[in-house]
Amino acid sequence: MSELSEKIRKEFKESDDVRDALMSTPEDVERWDDIVYGHIDRQIQKLDVYRPKQAGSDDLPVIISVHGGGWVYGDKERYQYYCMSLAQRGFAVVNFTYRLAPEHKFPAPLEDLNLVCKWVMKRARRYHFDTERIFAVGDSAGAHLLGLYAGICTKPDYAAEFDFVVPEGFALTAIALNCGVYALDRTDSSQEMSLELMKDFLPEQGTDEELEKINVLNQITDVYTPVYCMTAVNDFQKFQAPALVEKLMENQVPFVYRVFGDKVNRLGHVFHCDIKTVDAAQCNDAECDFFREFCF
């Protein structure tokens, strides 16, 4: 493992510990924890399901959450409170842990996401999922992975480059990409950290061919999934969003683009995960409202 990956694991954990201090499960949320969805590593491949208690046995639209963490850090525990806040907004939320680099190389996280989608389709009746309304959220590296998976779901020649197959009948209705990484450019000095992480994430440490394969912009066609694209004024990845938006516009893909914060309120990277703040509530409300537009 590189020094950078070790540093990310340490510093991100410390930050998340502060963010989640004294948080607990809301009384109006029902949860099922540590459900095994895969067979490769049953200690890692686990998920939680959260539903609003008031929904009873009603079928609910689903949100699948793909956590961030620079491809080397994170798990469902770090995203449980954020995901339960989405459940409070009227959704069934699936929050899962995927295999991380450098212990597990690309495309391991995509394989795991695909297994989760397969699990959702198979367990729809048990957890009262509306499989005609499946949404997903991802932030930072999670937005990158989700952006690629949306390409796999909508672009057959890209899907053919992978050994797994999207579950029969599965389709993403819309997605939210938050503070994401979408394309890596060796000539851009601002991408130095992400490019360094590719040495841990990619099997050949980031060849030109590999960087092309994991370029989300390359996978966007006119049938790509509708997107809510969000960044913030002090997000160190905010330069990534305009290129994504330009590609969505070129292909006439429905989208919403928001930059949160201003000169006084300097919102940073993945601010929306700190659900104790008003800014996070406003962002997450807006994204869930975007999803609801596809529910009727």
Side-chain angles (χ1 to χ4, degrees), residues 82-113:
Y82 162 65
C83 287
M84 285 188 286
S85 77
L86 300 180
Q88 290 177 301
R89 290 169 166 84
F91 295 83
V93 181
V94 178
N95 171 29
F96 74 103
T97 298
Y98 56 82
R99 290 171 292 158
L100 299 171
E103 293 85 356
H104 304 278
K105 303 292 187 179
F106 178 85
L110 291 179
E111 293 169 348
D112 290 355
L113 174 53

Side-chain angles (χ1 to χ4, degrees), residues 195-230:
L195 287 165
E196 184 67 20
L197 286 168
M198 291 302 101
K199 296 177 182 178
D200 278 350
F201 180 56
L202 297 172
E204 297 180 21
Q205 299 188 327
T207 64
D208 290 343
E209 291 76 14
E210 286 180 316
L211 295 184
E212 282 297 298
K213 184 171 182 176
I214 65 165
N215 186 328
V216 174
L217 308 185
N218 291 343
Q219 319 318 329
I220 296 175
T221 66
D222 60 358
V223 293
Y224 194 77
T225 309
V227 176
Y228 190 107
C229 175
M230 180 277 282

Side-chain angles (χ1 to χ4, degrees), residues 61-243:
V62 183
I63 296 177
I64 298 171
S65 173
V66 187
H67 71 74
W71 305 277
V72 300
Y73 166 83
D75 55 37
K76 63 184 179 63
E77 280 67 38
R78 296 297 174 178
Y79 276 67
Q80 60 180 314
Y81 303 114
Y82 162 65
C83 287
M84 285 188 286
S85 77
L86 300 180
Q88 290 177 301
R89 290 169 166 84
F91 295 83
V93 181
V94 178
N95 171 29
F96 74 103
T97 298
Y98 56 82
R99 290 171 292 158
L100 299 171
E103 293 85 356
H104 304 278
K105 303 292 187 179
F106 178 85
L110 291 179
E111 293 169 348
D112 290 355
L113 174 53
N114 193 66
L115 287 171
V116 169
C117 296
K118 183 177 180 180
W119 183 93
V120 166
M121 299 300 289
K122 188 175 181 179
R123 296 289 185 268
R125 182 175 297 182
R126 166 68 178 86
Y127 295 98
H128 304 287
F129 297 145
D130 178 358
T131 56
E132 296 298 314
R133 302 290 183 268
I134 299 178
F135 305 97
V137 294
D139 61 80
S140 196
H144 173 252
L145 295 170
L146 177 55
L148 292 179
Y149 191 72
I152 292 169
C153 290
T154 56
K155 189 178 179 185
D157 58 342
Y158 187 55
E161 297 184 29
F162 297 89
D163 292 335
F164 58 84
V165 178
V166 173
E168 183 177 356
F170 179 88
L172 288 166
T173 305
I175 59 176
L177 302 178
N178 300 312
C179 304
V181 176
Y182 308 114
L184 294 170
D185 182 356
R186 294 188 195 283
T187 66
D188 186 347
S189 60
S190 67
Q191 298 192 40
E192 183 177 346
M193 183 178 75
S194 293
L195 287 165
E196 184 67 20
L197 286 168
M198 291 302 101
K199 296 177 182 178
D200 278 350
F201 180 56
L202 297 172
E204 297 180 21
Q205 299 188 327
T207 64
D208 290 343
E209 291 76 14
E210 286 180 316
L211 295 184
E212 282 297 298
K213 184 171 182 176
I214 65 165
N215 186 328
V216 174
L217 308 185
N218 291 343
Q219 319 318 329
I220 296 175
T221 66
D222 60 358
V223 293
Y224 194 77
T225 309
V227 176
Y228 190 107
C229 175
M230 180 277 282
T231 185
V233 293
N234 207 32
D235 172 19
F236 66 90
Q237 295 288 2
K238 68 179 181 180
F239 66 91
Q240 292 271 353

Side-chain angles (χ1 to χ4, degrees), residues 33-48 67 74-77 95-100 104 112 115:
D33 296 341
D34 296 327
I35 303 166
V36 176
Y37 68 82
H39 59 278
I40 300 171
D41 190 328
R42 296 171 67 88
Q43 294 303 310
I44 295 176
Q45 294 172 313
K46 293 181 179 180
L47 60 80
D48 298 346
H67 71 74
D75 55 37
K76 63 184 179 63
E77 280 67 38
N95 171 29
F96 74 103
T97 298
Y98 56 82
R99 290 171 292 158
L100 299 171
H104 304 278
D112 290 355
L115 287 171

